[in-house]
Structures are given as C-alpha cells and as structure tokens.
Amino acid sequence: LLSSIMVFGSLAEKYELVAIKSAGVSLLKAMRPMFLISFTLAVAAFFTANYLIPKANLSWGALLYDVTQKKPAMNIVDNVFFKDIPGYQIRVGKKHDDGQTIEDILIYVSDRKNAGNNNILIAEKGKMSISRDKQYMTLNLVNGKRYQELVDDANYRSTMPHNTMAFESYNLTLDLSDLAFNRTDKERFSEDQRMMNVEQLGTRIDSLTRYIQKKRESLYRYMDPYFIAASDTIDLQDTAVFARFEYLINTLENEKNTLVSTVNEASAFDTLKSKIPAPLRIPDKEKINPKKTRSIQAKYNKREQIIERALQTSNNIKRISTNNIDDSSSQRELKARYLVEWHRKFTLAVSCILLFFIGAPLGAIIKKGGFGLPLVISLLLFILYYVVTIFGEKLAKQGVLPPVLGMWLALMLFFPLAIFLTYKASRDSQLFNADAYKKIIRLLTPYWAKEYLDKK
C-alpha cells in the first residue's frame, strides 16, 4: 500500500505519468509490472502463511512452554531459603564472592511421605561445587550436626526415637535435574490452529463437522422413543400412553385461564382439548358400566407411578440434551477458530493485491511522492483495514457472523473502494482537487448567496 502510493505519487508529481499516458499507455497498462510484483508477493505470502508461519508458531509455542515451566537457576541468596530443589530447603547466612564458599548453613531435608522438619542439617561453613553437566551439586559441609527423627519406627509416638550425628566433614549430593531446561515434544502443541496448514485445518474442520452431526443424530435417536404420535386408534390397554394423555387433560384443566389469556381467544382451551382423542378423555362414571369403570379405575391407580416415571424420563432428556448442546457449542466454537485460521491464509495473500489497487490509483490522484502525505494516507487506510479485520474475526469466533464473512469483511468493504479509485485514476479525475469541489459548491449555491461570496 505504502510503496504503490509513493511510486505512482512520485510519477504523477513529476509529470512522468502524464508522459506515459501521452504515449498511449493507459494507467492500467502502466500498473501491470507492479501488479505482477504484487501477485508474486501474494503467492509468497500464502506459502509463508501456510507453511513457514505454522512451523515457526509450533517451535515458538513449544519453546515458550518450556521457558515458562523452567524453574529458576541455582541462585542462593544470603538468609533466604532456597526451595526449588525437591526435598531440600537451604538457607545460608553468608555467601562469599567466589560463589562457592558459604557459612552458617541450615538445611531441612524432607520427603513426600513424612511432612515436617524432622531431618535437619547444621554446619558452620561449607563449599558448593556443581558437576560439569550441571545435573548435580555437592555440598562439602564442615563442623556440623545432623538431627533426624525416626518417624518410620513403629513405636515412634511412644518412644520418639531419633538420631543425632556430629561431623567434621559431610558431603551432601543434590540432584539438579529439575532445574535443567528440558525441551518438550513439539507434536504436543500441533493441535493448535495456529500450528496447522490449509490441509491440516481442512481435515480438522471436516472431523469437527462430522462429530457435531453425529452428536445431533445420537440425541435425536435417544429422544425419539420418548415421543408418541397421537391418533384416533390409540390402544387404551397401553397404560403409559393412557396416562400421558390423561395427564395432559388435567394439565389443560389447571392451566385453562393461563392458556386463554395467552392465546387471547375464549375458545382456545376447548379447541385444544377437542384435539385429544375421544377415547382418552376422562369418562363420566354415571354413563358407563361398572366393569369398564373398574378397568379404568385400575389404570388410574397406576397414574402416579407412571407420571413419576415420565417426569424422571423428562429430567434425563433435559440433562442429556443440555450436555449435548454444551458439547456441540464448544465444538462449534473450536470449528469457527479453525475456519478463521483457514481463511486467514487466503485473506493475507489477497490483501496484497487489493491494497495495491488502492495505493496505485490513490498515488496517481494525489500526485505526491516521498514519505509525507503518502505515509499518512497509507497509515490511515491500513489502520482502518486492520480494525475491520479484527472486528470481523472477533464476530466470527463468537459465532455472530459466519467465518467466511467475518474474515473477508474488510476485503469486501475495500473492494468497492479499489474499483472506485482505479476508475477515477484512469479517467484523470480531480478527486482531491479543492478547486473542483469549490466549483461544485458554487453550482449548488443559490443566486443571492453567490453575490455575497463574490463580495467576500
């Protein structure tokens, strides 16, 4: 964007573009060599975004993880406990300038089984030495004591056994492997969308699409047996079906006022109740024979149990549906991230060509080269392009816009601008000429105002 504005702005400022046009070469034909260069840069940008950047991100991500997980280096400070070596807490009263001689040493030795300060080393002075591979450190302690409680003894609580040892010289070797810088396998981070190329992203997107579809189908298959279709030929011997419709009728009776007020129709309840199959409506005991009454009464006695089972089933369906929806939503969000990264590979390349078709005509119109006005204009346009790109990407990741629309939003908005500027530049339009706008304003100004402007 900046280079095209500077080049064509300089050509127009020095009237070289006018000489090119006077020779019969149109602006679009004059732009052809730079267009080929922009196209080459676009292809290079695609391969860079598709191959180089994912590998760089993979190495960078693994290295960043290793750096954050690495413990601090072996740095013992006076009168401060050093706790980064597992099983040891070391405090020295004074550390000499040579970095090896230490005085007034206190060491707490602990293990994972027994908590507490039950193994203590005290020494007047000592010397530290680290192996060449920096995996081990040896402390040569002088004139000290060691106190250790035998907590593993069976009679520890009653006899409190312990050992006390005095020594003139004692060598303590510490393992520093936990302080070493270990490299993690890069494949551990290969599932991140920033670490993938177009082919890998397409595979992951297809897998997530199939997974979401299977989750939806499995939910439908699970819920299907719990729903029945009402018809006029329903078997009354099916107590579960009978209880469902009988429970529905009672619910309609209890919610009659709410239903009528909601629908705002006086006959809404009667119309809805009439849709219930006639054989399942609550019978009038005075108009049926006793045998049928006892049969129906026996079915009514099981109503509470059936309804309770139906409520449990409904709760199970609700719970499974909620879990399915939450899982599918998280997978859709992950899929949107993969799609955003997939489209980013192409938008980066296309933007090189589109911004060229904005910068070149704009430079020919403003007729200014160098780093002054072209730099200001290019910065404003690029900031606008970047803001719209980030805005569309955020909306795509949040599911507000489809990823294809969110990632191509900035290019779609800038594409008409590129066509407009190219058309104006090819027609030698005075788009940024103040005198041209003054003429238009004068034509639109009323007659009495023109006389006032002439006096001014």
Side-chain angles (χ1 to χ4, degrees):
L1 176 64
L2 176 61
S3 61
S4 57
I5 293 178
M6 291 176 60
V7 169
F8 279 86
S10 178
L11 290 175
E13 185 179 15
K14 298 176 181 179
Y15 297 98
E16 295 176 354
L17 195 59
V18 176
I20 293 174
K21 291 181 179 180
S22 63
V25 180
S26 64
L27 177 64
L28 292 177
K29 194 172 182 179
M31 292 168 55
R32 189 178 301 172
M34 286 193 64
F35 168 73
L36 295 177
I37 296 177
S38 299
F39 182 79
T40 304
L41 291 176
V43 174
F46 172 77
F47 282 100
T48 301
N50 194 37
Y51 296 104
L52 182 60
I53 292 179
K55 290 186 177 181
N57 284 337
L58 183 60
S59 299
W60 166 81
L63 180 61
L64 178 63
Y65 176 81
D66 294 335
V67 171
T68 56
Q69 294 298 316
K70 183 184 181 300
K71 293 184 178 180
M74 188 66 186
N75 186 18
I76 297 179
V77 184
D78 295 351
N79 296 313
V80 176
F81 276 97
F82 184 79
K83 304 178 182 180
D84 291 329
I85 301 177
Y88 297 93
Q89 299 182 30
I90 304 173
R91 193 270 303 165
V92 298
K94 182 180 180 180
K95 182 180 178 182
H96 290 252
D97 295 337
D98 59 3
Q100 294 183 345
T101 306
I102 52 179
E103 296 180 0
D104 188 16
I105 305 162
L106 173 62
I107 302 176
Y108 290 109
V109 183
S110 61
D111 53 27
R112 297 180 181 178
K113 295 181 180 179
N114 303 312
N117 301 325
N118 48 47
N119 193 345
I120 304 174
L121 274 169
I122 301 174
E124 293 182 1
K125 59 182 180 179
K127 189 174 183 179
M128 299 186 303
S129 61
I130 300 178
S131 61
R132 292 184 178 180
D133 58 2
K134 297 184 180 181
Q135 295 294 317
Y136 299 95
M137 180 181 69
T138 301
L139 293 176
N140 186 9
L141 306 178
V142 180
N143 296 332
K145 292 183 179 180
R146 179 168 186 166
Y147 175 83
Q148 181 180 9
E149 297 182 12
L150 304 179
V151 294
D152 294 331
D153 191 278
N155 300 322
Y156 173 74
R157 295 185 178 275
S158 58
T159 61
M160 303 293 290
H162 63 275
N163 287 332
T164 302
M165 178 183 65
F167 56 85
E168 293 182 359
S169 177
Y170 184 86
N171 291 331
L172 178 63
T173 302
L174 306 179
D175 186 5
L176 303 181
S177 58
D178 287 342
L179 300 180
F181 184 72
N182 300 316
R183 295 304 305 269
T184 306
D185 185 10
K186 295 180 181 179
E187 296 301 323
R188 180 177 177 182
F189 307 93
S190 60
E191 292 298 319
D192 192 288
Q193 66 271 11
R194 296 170 298 177
M195 321 296 185
M196 297 183 179
N197 55 33
V198 170
E199 183 179 357
Q200 293 170 337
L201 289 170
T203 302
R204 290 293 297 169
I205 293 170
D206 181 70
S207 299
L208 289 173
T209 302
R210 291 174 180 270
Y211 177 80
I212 295 171
Q213 182 64 25
K214 287 182 179 179
K215 291 288 290 185
R216 184 187 298 112
E217 293 175 355
S218 64
L219 179 62
Y220 290 161
R221 286 196 302 268
Y222 177 82
M223 296 176 62
D224 185 66
Y226 294 96
F227 293 89
I228 60 173
S231 63
D232 295 334
T233 60
I234 295 179
D235 186 8
L236 283 177
Q237 301 302 322
D238 188 347
T239 56
V241 175
F242 187 90
R244 292 181 191 180
F245 280 100
E246 196 273 337
Y247 178 70
L248 176 60
I249 294 174
N250 291 340
T251 303
L252 293 176
E253 292 285 358
N254 296 331
E255 301 294 336
K256 178 177 180 179
N257 296 331
T258 304
L259 183 63
V260 171
S261 61
T262 302
V263 183
N264 198 20
E265 293 182 4
S267 61
F269 171 74
D270 297 331
T271 302
L272 185 58
K273 184 177 178 181
S274 65
K275 296 181 180 180
I276 304 301
L280 299 179
R281 297 176 187 168
I282 301 176
D284 188 355
K285 294 184 179 180
E286 297 180 357
K287 296 181 180 181
I288 60 177
N289 56 60
K291 292 183 179 181
K292 192 172 183 180
T293 302
R294 286 193 298 270
S295 175
I296 295 178
Q297 187 64 37
K299 295 177 181 179
Y300 284 174
N301 293 335
K302 298 180 180 180
R303 181 182 63 179
E304 297 296 333
Q305 180 181 358
I306 296 173
I307 292 177
E308 182 68 23
R309 188 167 65 244
L311 290 175
Q312 293 176 359
T313 302
S314 300
N315 290 331
N316 291 336
I317 293 176
K318 179 181 178 181
R319 175 177 53 82
I320 294 175
S321 301
T322 303
N323 294 337
N324 188 288
I325 292 173
D326 293 340
D327 187 22
S328 298
S329 299
S330 62
Q331 296 300 322
R332 288 191 186 94
E333 182 178 353
L334 182 60
K335 178 184 175 182
R337 292 181 178 273
Y338 282 111
L339 284 170
V340 165
E341 197 64 30
W342 189 90
H343 286 286
R344 193 196 308 276
K345 313 290 186 185
F346 297 94
T347 56
L348 178 63
V350 176
S351 63
C352 296
I353 300 176
L354 182 64
L355 294 180
F356 164 73
F357 277 101
I358 292 178
L362 193 59
I365 294 175
I366 63 176
K367 298 180 180 179
K368 291 290 183 179
F371 281 98
L373 185 60
L375 181 61
V376 175
I377 296 176
S378 61
L379 282 177
L380 293 176
L381 288 175
F382 180 76
I383 290 174
L384 179 61
Y385 171 80
Y386 183 76
V387 169
V388 176
T389 300
I390 296 299
F391 178 72
E393 181 179 341
K394 293 291 185 182
L395 293 181
K397 289 183 177 180
Q398 295 174 1
V400 179
L401 290 178
V404 59
L405 181 59
M407 292 304 296
W408 292 87
L409 180 62
L411 295 175
M412 293 169 60
L413 294 178
F414 274 69
F415 182 71
L417 177 62
I419 296 178
F420 174 76
L421 292 177
T422 303
Y423 174 78
K424 287 294 184 179
S426 61
R427 298 288 181 177
D428 294 327
S429 174
Q430 302 295 323
L431 189 62
F432 293 97
N433 189 354
D435 294 334
Y437 291 102
K438 289 180 180 179
K439 292 180 180 180
I440 296 176
I441 294 175
R442 187 173 182 83
L443 291 175
L444 299 177
T445 304
Y447 177 76
W448 58 270
K450 289 181 181 179
E451 295 181 353
Y452 176 77
L453 290 175
D454 294 337
K455 292 180 182 180
K456 291 291 183 180

